[in-house]
Amino acid sequence: MVRWQPGAADRLRIAALDLFEEHGYDQTTVAGIADRAGVTERTFYRHFPDKREVLFAGSEQLAERASAAVSAAPQGAAPSLLVDAALAGLAESFPDERRPFSRRRQARLDSEPALRERELLKLSTLKGTLVGALAARGASAPAATMTAEAVLSVFHVAFLRWIEEDQQRSMAELQQEALAELRAALGGAGTSAEEGR
Amino acid sequence: MVRWQPGAADRLRIAALDLFEEHGYDQTTVAGIADRAGVTERTFYRHFPDKREVLFAGSEQLAERASAAVSAAPQGAAPSLLVDAALAGLAESFPDERRPFSRRRQARLDSEPALRERELLKLSTLKGTLVGALAARGASAPAATMTAEAVLSVFHVAFLRWIEEDQQRSMAELQQEALAELRAALGGAGTSAEEGR
DNA sequence: GTCTATAGTGCGATAGAC
DNA sequence: GTCTATCGCACTATAGAC
């Protein structure tokens, strides 16, 4: 008889999402989540610093991948290439298999202010990481900030479409679409050259 | 002998800020804040829904003033006029007397993630309010979003300068400066006509 | 104003992997 | 033996209910 089954963190994540859907975030206790996952409350806190975090663990990976992709770009690369790289890095965290889970998770984030709050903090941190990576690739501080904001804006629009019902297209595809829309909305030069590439 | 002094909410705000500075946010208890303000813990929660909120009460007023200023603009007014209006509305909440308090408050927000989190939520709400007000003045949805983001960006830069040590200029002045910088950074037409006004 | 549920922490004990 | 995940229990503070 084993003392503990592996994958406690994953079981806790699933149990939490299930219970949040069934009874709402407030009405779900950490003890209840732990119970369903077959561990004690104390073990929950070994894996997650607080109740909200159970739906956010892994968000550091998102930032790491995005900044790694940017860092892999050649020094002094054109801003548009850095945008492409950052988006590609982000897309890695959203394979098609993850879609159902992301959909359910997002529905919870939207309906619970406490979770929305945490989401904003994570996005803010992600933005900071991106700004740092972009600056390291030669972007000026204001350019890095604006570029990061553009990346997150595109990412956000694409993500919302990605989790729509019946959506079949991949995150990468939807990001390309949203980026094209943003470029079109902004107008100006610098775009046509890219398209001919 | 009076049973209670008026201005309990204000006293609680000051007491909280004092204690957060002295012992840190986590180490400060609501009971301690209430004590210093001369009320009971229960009274604290009558004024503020939770511990974090003690530094945020009044943020609705910020949104109200900004959207009121936008709503006062003529229907179909040029976007740049709406930006000016929104900024003017925001500046009302930052008279020079408030500067020392804002400075201390911001230092706490920056140093405590739990407070930063709440700040981001408030800014997100403010942005939503602004988008609504701008849309009501005839801006398209994407335009309203981008305009609101630009307003908040200018506001943010100006606010950071406003709370710098030895800063003498008013919030309104600093916002004008930051707006000019943003316009310059974005380049393009539509700016010179305004300046000649 | 009092009472209570629950979030979250600190610390020691324990079981299994290596 | 060490290392790591878990458990158990006592405890404080937040926040809401009565």
Side-chain angles (χ1 to χ4, degrees), chain A residues 3 8 40 42-43 46-47:
Chain A
R3 180 180 161 103
T40 65
R42 200 68 191 77
T43 298
R46 176 167 311 283
H47 289 278

Side-chain angles (χ1 to χ4, degrees), chain B residues 45-64:
Chain B
Y45 286 108
R46 280 198 335 105
H47 289 279
F48 310 101
D50 64 50
K51 184 178 166 185
R52 300 173 185 193
E53 207 67 17
V54 71
L55 289 188
F56 290 93
S59 65
E60 317 78 37
Q61 200 194 37
L62 198 64
E64 281 162 23

Side-chain angles (χ1 to χ4, degrees), chain A residues 37-155:
Chain A
V39 296
T40 65
E41 194 175 344
R42 200 68 191 77
T43 298
F44 178 96
Y45 287 108
R46 176 167 311 283
H47 289 278
F48 309 103
D50 63 51
K51 186 178 168 185
R52 301 171 185 195
E53 205 67 17
V54 71
L55 289 188
F56 290 93
S59 66
E60 317 78 38
Q61 201 193 37
L62 197 65
E64 280 162 24
R65 284 173 170 173
S67 60
V70 169
S71 301
Q75 180 69 22
S80 72
L81 285 180
L82 296 179
V83 169
D84 291 339
L87 289 172
L90 289 171
E92 287 172 27
S93 298
F94 300 90
D96 287 343
E97 317 87 80
R98 233 188 108 97
R99 212 187 310 236
F101 180 84
S102 288
R103 203 161 9 224
R104 293 174 62 200
R105 176 179 174 280
Q106 194 61 33
R108 285 309 100 202
L109 300 200
D110 290 341
S111 65
E112 174 57 44
L115 295 173
R116 230 177 88 61
E117 205 169 46
R118 180 59 53 86
E119 186 192 17
L120 291 168
L121 184 63
K122 296 289 181 182
L123 284 172
S124 168
T125 304
L126 171 56
K127 178 176 152 188
T129 305
L130 260 181
V131 168
L134 290 165
R137 286 297 87 184
S140 69
T145 300
M146 287 191 291
T147 304
E149 280 168 354
V151 165
L152 289 182
S153 177
V154 167
F155 166 74

Side-chain angles (χ1 to χ4, degrees), chain B residues 36-179:
Chain B
R36 179 181 286 219
V39 298
T40 67
E41 197 174 340
R42 189 72 185 74
T43 300
F44 178 96
Y45 286 108
R46 280 198 335 105
H47 289 279
F48 310 101
D50 64 50
K51 184 178 166 185
R52 300 173 185 193
E53 207 67 17
V54 71
L55 289 188
F56 290 93
S59 65
E60 317 78 37
Q61 200 194 37
L62 198 64
E64 281 162 23
R65 285 174 170 172
S67 59
V70 170
S71 302
Q75 180 70 22
S80 72
L81 285 180
L82 297 179
V83 168
D84 291 339
L87 289 172
L90 289 172
E92 287 172 27
S93 298
F94 300 89
D96 287 342
E97 318 86 81
R98 232 187 110 95
R99 211 187 309 236
F101 180 84
S102 289
R103 204 164 3 228
R104 293 175 62 202
R105 175 179 175 280
Q106 194 61 32
R108 286 309 100 203
L109 301 199
D110 290 340
S111 65
E112 176 56 45
L115 295 174
R116 229 177 90 58
E117 206 170 46
R118 181 58 52 85
E119 186 192 18
L120 290 168
L121 185 64
K122 296 291 182 183
L123 284 172
S124 169
T125 304
L126 171 56
K127 178 176 152 186
T129 305
L130 260 181
V131 168
L134 290 166
R137 285 299 88 185
S140 69
T145 300
M146 287 191 291
T147 304
E149 281 168 354
V151 165
L152 288 182
S153 179
V154 166
F155 166 73
H156 186 227
V157 168
F159 177 75
L160 291 182
R161 288 177 183 158
W162 188 66
I163 60 174
E164 275 171 9
E165 282 305 324
D166 302 326
Q167 178 58 259
Q168 300 294 323
R169 289 179 289 166
S170 71
M171 188 63 179
E173 242 179 301
L174 292 164
Q175 282 183 337
Q176 287 309 312
E177 178 181 84
L179 178 56

